[in-house]
Amino acid sequence: MTEHAPELFGTLPDGTEVHRWTLERAGTRAEILTYGGIVRSLQVPDREGRTANVVLGFPSLDGYLAHPDPYLGALVGRYANRIAGARFPLDGVVYALEPNNGPNSLHGGARGFDKRVWDAGPVDHGLRLSRVSPHGEEGFPGRLSVSATYTLDAAGALRIGYEATTDAPTVLNLTHHGYFNLAGHDAGHAGGHALRIAASRFTPVDADLIPTGVLQDVTGTRFDFRETRRTGSGYDHNFVLDKGVSAAAQEAAELHDPASGRTLTISTTEPGLQLYTADHLPAPFAPADGIALETQHFPDSPNQPGFPSTVLRPGEVFRSETVYAFSVR
Ligand code: BGC
């Protein structure tokens, strides 16, 4: 482990400083920003030992401020993915959010967790970001104390662990919105990557990408990633992981770049995985320059009683972990 002191990465228009933490261990080098918990860069070796950054990111803070829409590498909350009609019932009260995606709420609202500056402190082989999201922030109830701990383990895997508590009933769905290109962040179209997802079902959606509520069998469809297939383009869908919600992180997906040999194995405690083939990316990126694999609960769970619950109540501790492990073959 090489220790790096956090550096100044940029300054927000209101004068708030944003810092960059750099972690290095077992061949992996990760840069994490206190703005939005963004993983700006993640460098890993290929089968010849050549290192490349395998996630999309901007070189400076200005890029993130000018282009928030793709949520590049960000920590997304309070509710990753969509809430239909930007409203949800909880204990008999209907909470209204500000729609920011057609009629729906996407990724926590206009100023979600990805646009906040987090407090940062060191932990063994990593850092812990934390903040208090006040009651009513972006329309969500409950004062939420939330943290995300980023560490590199002895094998060089990036582990992101989330914890949260609330003082009133609320809903919560957190994800890391990384876009991977295992050939390198500047290698161009990533549609030739081979992807496997341990999911026999997915959640079909309507025209606004809201799940219909059905858990549909993937057999015989382009959603069957149980055997490896090319990612191509045109995916923005949640897969129902066969393992379900698990107390410890279990394998959910594997992404492989045949050219470099780099392989990413994602394990998670979460029950769902959103595959987004990045069909809309701002310049300097082109469509499908990366592949977003977002571990999470299913979209619109607060309005879908049949989906695993995203409700967090006072006295409970929300815990979630996702592991991004790298290897070559
Ligand atoms: C969503 C996409 C959205 C993208 C960038 C993904 O998680 O599923 O619909 O365009 O994030 O905001």
Side-chain angles (χ1 to χ4, degrees):
M1 175 81 185
T2 318
E3 299 289 348
H4 296 271
E7 311 152 89
L8 182 65
F9 182 70
T11 306
L12 293 175
D14 72 359
T16 310
E17 292 188 346
V18 172
H19 292 95
R20 166 173 50 196
W21 289 60
T22 301
L23 312 177
E24 242 180 301
R25 198 179 185 195
T28 303
R29 187 176 198 271
E31 288 180 25
I32 292 135
L33 307 182
T34 55
Y35 180 76
I38 289 168
V39 178
R40 202 205 68 81
S41 163
L42 188 56
Q43 295 183 36
V44 295
D46 69 4
R47 66 164 84 82
E48 315 297 341
R50 286 175 304 225
T51 294
N53 170 22
V54 295
V55 296
L56 305 190
F58 292 109
S60 70
L61 187 58
D62 296 346
Y64 293 99
L65 298 180
H67 301 291
D69 287 354
Y71 295 80
L72 281 195
L75 197 180
V76 181
R78 288 190 189 191
Y79 199 93
N81 217 312
R82 289 169 176 80
I83 296 179
R87 52 175 48 233
F88 63 92
L90 179 59
D91 296 343
V93 178
V94 174
Y95 292 91
L97 312 170
E98 205 60 57
N100 65 336
N101 185 250
N104 305 316
S105 169
L106 175 67
H107 293 334
R111 192 159 172 235
F113 288 180
D114 60 296
K115 297 176 191 72
R116 306 279 173 177
V117 177
W118 294 64
D119 295 325
V123 299
D124 274 357
H125 303 297
L127 78 156
R128 181 173 178 271
L129 298 182
S130 58
R131 68 180 291 266
V132 173
S133 170
H135 170 77
E137 188 174 73
E138 295 297 327
F140 290 94
R143 180 180 188 269
L144 191 80
S145 300
V146 54
S147 71
T149 303
Y150 300 67
T151 53
L152 293 182
D153 71 15
L158 173 66
R159 308 180 80 98
I160 308 182
Y162 309 87
E163 270 192 27
T165 55
T166 180
D167 70 355
T170 193
V171 296
L172 186 63
N173 191 27
L174 302 178
T175 195
H176 162 62
H177 208 289
Y179 290 82
F180 297 93
N181 188 327
L182 298 179
H185 69 106
D186 50 2
H189 203 286
H193 282 52
L195 178 64
R196 201 160 45 72
I197 306 177
S200 309
R201 294 174 298 171
F202 75 108
T203 50
V205 288
D206 69 13
D208 287 329
L209 299 182
I210 298 298
T212 60
V214 172
L215 306 185
Q216 192 178 317
D217 189 343
V218 296
T219 307
T221 72
R222 69 186 187 100
F223 299 97
D224 193 348
F225 282 89
R226 291 172 298 182
E227 301 287 338
T228 295
R229 65 193 288 150
R230 302 272 182 245
T231 54
S233 62
Y235 289 98
D236 194 357
H237 293 84
N238 169 66
F239 289 78
V240 178
L241 298 172
D242 290 338
K243 68 171 194 68
V245 178
S246 51
Q250 287 181 28
E251 191 170 320
E254 185 196 85
L255 186 67
H256 173 69
D257 169 41
S260 66
R262 292 190 188 95
T263 306
L264 163 65
T265 306
I266 297 182
S267 303
T268 187
T269 57
E270 290 295 307
L273 180 80
Q274 183 87 6
L275 166 62
Y276 172 49
T277 45
D279 301 297
H280 309 279
L281 284 180
F285 303 103
D289 269 1
I291 300 159
L293 293 166
E294 311 151 44
T295 58
Q296 54 187 229
H297 272 57
F298 308 165
D300 198 31
S301 296
N303 290 303
Q304 294 278 357
F307 288 178
S309 173
T310 50
V311 175
L312 181 69
R313 297 185 179 280
E316 297 173 346
V317 180
F318 170 91
R319 283 196 186 86
S320 170
E321 188 187 37
T322 297
V323 183
Y324 305 86
F326 294 92
S327 57
V328 289
R329 69 163 183 259

